[in-house]
Amino acid sequence: EAGVAQSPRYKIIEKRQSVAFWCNPISGHATLYWYQQILGQGPKLLIQFQNNGVVDDSQLPKDRFSAERLKGVDSTLKIQPAKLEDSAVYLCASSITGDIYGYTFGSGTRLTVV
Amino acid sequence: AQTVTQSQPEMSVQEAETVTLSCTYDTSENNYYLFWYKQPPSRQMILVIRQEAYKQQNATENRFSVNFQKAAKSFSLKISDSQLGDTAMYFCAFSSRGDDMRFGAGTRLTVKP
């Protein structure tokens, strides 16, 4: 079974620039999550999709962050404009809807804003 | 809101010895799920072990076992016969429905040869 794919693996941008991250979940996984993991902290949920609908985006800074999951498969997370405090690892995870056994995570994208 | 607390930012253990990582959580739910994830330098979160709150028996996966104390809201991870490959960040996580996972701040474990 192929895992959760994420790209790019690393990204360095200047503040006020824009950036986009891509995630391809495991085939058949209807639920997709984006987490932000700041250095030294645990992952924090940014947004949760079920198919192509948003389930929870209460912690997404909507003035600068946006995410979409067209066709209920791949997802893109965008930051525009980026701030220094956005430097973090952005993790994507997927699961079968209602699966109580945890998620499958990708390897993440490490973003550095300078 | 549910919170997860890991009070040990860093721990170390000698190879082949046993180490216990602590986790406490706060919830008003009666049924929920608890997890331990491992995050090596590759950054990928790997599920180590899970526990359903309605099960009284502590979960075990090979060298990994948990001590689940529901009344105390405690969920510690014991790693026996520690191996160099166990060096990683370990995160405790809580979920009330299975799709609303919240993580603690993590414990950095170093296994020394």
Side-chain angles (χ1 to χ4, degrees):
Chain A
E1 172 179 83
V4 175
Q6 287 190 249
S7 67
R9 188 141 173 82
Y10 301 92
K11 189 74 178 179
I12 300 174
I13 62 172
E14 295 182 349
K15 59 183 179 182
R16 292 188 289 274
Q17 285 187 326
S18 63
V19 64
F21 313 124
W22 174 81
C23 173
N24 181 237
I26 290 176
S27 177
H29 281 195
T31 307
L32 184 147
Y33 313 82
W34 282 102
Y35 281 84
Q36 179 192 57
Q37 185 178 16
I38 293 172
L39 185 65
Q41 299 181 17
K44 182 186 81 171
L45 179 68
L46 290 176
I47 189 167
Q48 175 187 346
F49 292 95
Q50 183 165 326
N51 296 310
N52 60 352
V54 175
V55 174
D56 182 357
D57 64 355
S58 57
Q59 297 195 79
L60 187 73
K62 298 181 186 63
D63 57 334
R64 297 183 301 104
F65 286 64
S66 65
E68 60 183 11
R69 192 184 182 196
L70 301 177
K71 302 180 182 178
V73 182
D74 293 7
S75 178
T76 303
L77 176 69
K78 297 179 181 177
I79 308 175
Q80 181 179 14
K83 293 184 176 181
L84 296 178
E85 58 261 37
D86 298 332
S87 293
V89 173
Y90 291 85
L91 294 165
C92 179
S94 70
S95 71
I96 298 171
T97 301
D99 185 1
I100 63 172
Y101 298 117
Y103 310 160
T104 302
F105 283 84
S107 294
T109 296
R110 180 180 296 282
L111 173 67
T112 302
V113 183
V114 298
Chain B
Q2 294 92 353
T3 58
V4 179
T5 302
Q6 294 179 251
S7 58
Q8 305 154 313
E10 295 189 24
M11 293 196 71
S12 63
V13 63
Q14 290 296 133
E15 193 176 7
E17 293 189 346
T18 297
V19 64
T20 299
L21 309 184
S22 301
C23 173
T24 58
Y25 58 93
D26 184 31
T27 183
S28 58
E29 305 274 351
N30 187 52
N31 201 19
Y32 46 86
Y33 310 93
L34 295 163
F35 307 84
W36 278 98
Y37 277 88
K38 170 184 178 180
Q39 187 179 43
S42 67
R43 300 199 303 257
Q44 186 165 17
M45 300 282 277
I46 301 165
L47 179 64
V48 174
I49 199 166
R50 60 179 176 258
Q51 174 84 39
E52 291 92 340
Y54 64 87
K55 292 185 177 179
Q56 293 185 340
Q57 185 173 5
N58 289 323
T60 299
E61 289 286 344
N62 300 313
R63 299 182 295 107
F64 299 89
S65 62
V66 299
N67 183 5
F68 173 48
Q69 301 290 327
K70 191 173 184 180
K73 295 180 181 176
S74 171
F75 183 61
S76 60
L77 174 69
K78 186 172 80 171
I79 306 174
S80 304
D81 185 25
S82 298
Q83 301 176 359
L84 296 179
D86 295 334
T87 293
M89 286 291 294
Y90 286 81
F91 291 95
C92 178
F94 172 101
S95 174
S96 60
R97 302 188 309 264
D99 64 350
D100 59 342
M101 201 174 297
R102 299 294 185 262
F103 291 85
T107 296
R108 182 178 302 278
L109 175 67
T110 301
V111 180
K112 299 179 179 178

